[in-house]
Amino acid sequence: MEESTRKKNSWAEVLDPLRVVIIVILFALPVVTVLNLTAGTRELKNVLGTRTYGNLSVEPVAGSHEYIRSEMLKKGEENFEYTAEIKEREEGTYSKPILNLKADSAVSTKVKVYGRIEGVSYSKLSLIFAEEGSGGKDTEYVVDYQERESSYIIELTESSDYILYLKVENENDILYPQNIKISLTPINEE
Amino acid sequence: MSRLLTIILKKSILPASLLIVGKLIGLWLAISLYGLNYGISNDLGETFSVQIFFYDKQETLIANTFSDAFMFFVLLVGLLVILIRAKVFSADKDDLTVVNNVNIELEKLFKVKESIVVNLIVWGVYLLIAYFLLLRNSFYHFNQAWLSAVTGSLLVILVASMFKMVEFYVDKVYPGDKFDLKS
């Protein structure tokens, strides 16, 4: 009897500190988690400022869109990467001006464009290059259609401004949001 | 000591989980109801590497106010349930209440043990933690200031009732001068 009491007490001596530690964790963990879950603000202009790469400068077009949201522009080592999210939507065409491109050089600048819409869908993703002041000289490039991706090399006329439009077409309703990724890589011809 | 620690441990799991779940559900509700445009960042250099953010200050304010309020009220409801249960199903009530309780087979809800005091204290502490987190967010303008005023007032009322209840149970264990032989 005494032996079992002694054993019980020694177990309690071992387990008590462990219990205290678990209790402390049970109080600290929710605090840290809730602090982590407290949302912050990230101004879009900090993310989507003008970025330049050689002769090409890329600037986001301001404005919000009902379906195309969470736009971000990042400058990678060799390219510009634009990402956005398109919300769940009914069948139809959705379009938004996304980027201003400026080729600051005496000669034309070549840019390789590539785009992708994530997820299995039959959405058609196109990019429209509209040269400002050209009187409707727009060129459309289908970069992703029925999960077939294409890349294009586009020649931007010297000292001219372009507006790049994003166009998404789908024949059926899409019931979930999708991520869009567009890459613009200036081609150095030296 | 071991027994008390075990009770605290058991009683802490639910409010600790509710604190996190309440905040999460509150955020999700705010995003869904107001159609907020959010993002999740992954900055390895910062204290919290993964963080939810909004692109607009107003949206951040709405999301934090809503989620903080939801988190607080979830814990508040929990504590109220314990208080009401302790009050209504107290064995110290008149016979009629007891008979009614037995009739509807609620005997198992009689929790008039020492654990109810611990339960009240644990939930009270978690509610205080929720309030301090909410107050901290108000201080840094992450949520709207009126929220801390409203929840603060509710907290004062609730803590007062809680103390009364704890006093009631302590009196039951240590009757004080009721059994004083001199009187």
Side-chain angles (χ1 to χ4, degrees), chain A residues 70 85, chain B residues 31 36-40 52-55 59:
Chain A
S70 308
E85 185 192 77
Chain B
I31 290 167
L36 306 179
N37 190 13
Y38 73 99
I40 296 170
I52 296 170
F53 65 87
F54 294 87
Y55 298 100
E59 290 195 348

Side-chain angles (χ1 to χ4, degrees), chain A residues 12-145:
Chain A
E13 273 177 33
V14 176
L15 286 175
D16 274 359
L18 200 69
R19 286 191 184 106
V20 172
V21 170
I22 296 170
I23 289 168
V24 170
I25 290 170
L26 272 174
F27 278 90
L29 195 70
V31 174
V32 176
T33 312
V34 170
L35 283 176
N36 198 11
L37 284 171
T38 301
T41 311
R42 290 202 178 177
E43 303 283 348
L44 274 175
K45 62 185 176 192
N46 294 337
V47 181
L48 296 171
T50 307
R51 308 291 169 108
T52 55
Y53 194 102
N55 300 323
L56 183 71
S57 68
V58 179
E59 191 182 11
V61 175
S64 58
H65 192 273
E66 199 184 338
Y67 291 91
I68 299 163
R69 316 179 78 172
S70 308
E71 293 177 278
M72 274 202 200
L73 177 67
K74 286 181 194 164
K75 188 186 166 191
E77 280 184 18
E78 291 179 339
N79 68 339
F80 298 99
E81 194 177 280
Y82 167 89
T83 53
E85 185 192 77
I86 182 159
K87 286 172 70 180
E88 49 272 41
R89 58 206 180 272
E90 292 173 355
E91 60 168 290
T93 304
Y94 303 85
S95 172
K96 184 190 184 293
I98 52 167
L99 300 171
N100 278 317
L101 307 178
K102 195 177 175 79
D104 292 322
S105 70
V107 287
S108 59
T109 306
K110 282 184 180 169
V111 182
K112 186 181 177 186
V113 291
Y114 158 87
R116 196 159 72 89
I117 185 158
E118 283 179 2
V120 180
S121 75
Y122 293 103
S123 297
K124 186 175 166 182
L125 178 69
S126 312
L127 296 174
I128 301 167
F129 282 79
E131 191 177 345
E132 281 191 284
S134 68
K137 202 176 118 189
D138 299 349
T139 322
E140 185 174 336
Y141 301 91
V142 178
V143 287
D144 189 356
Y145 184 45

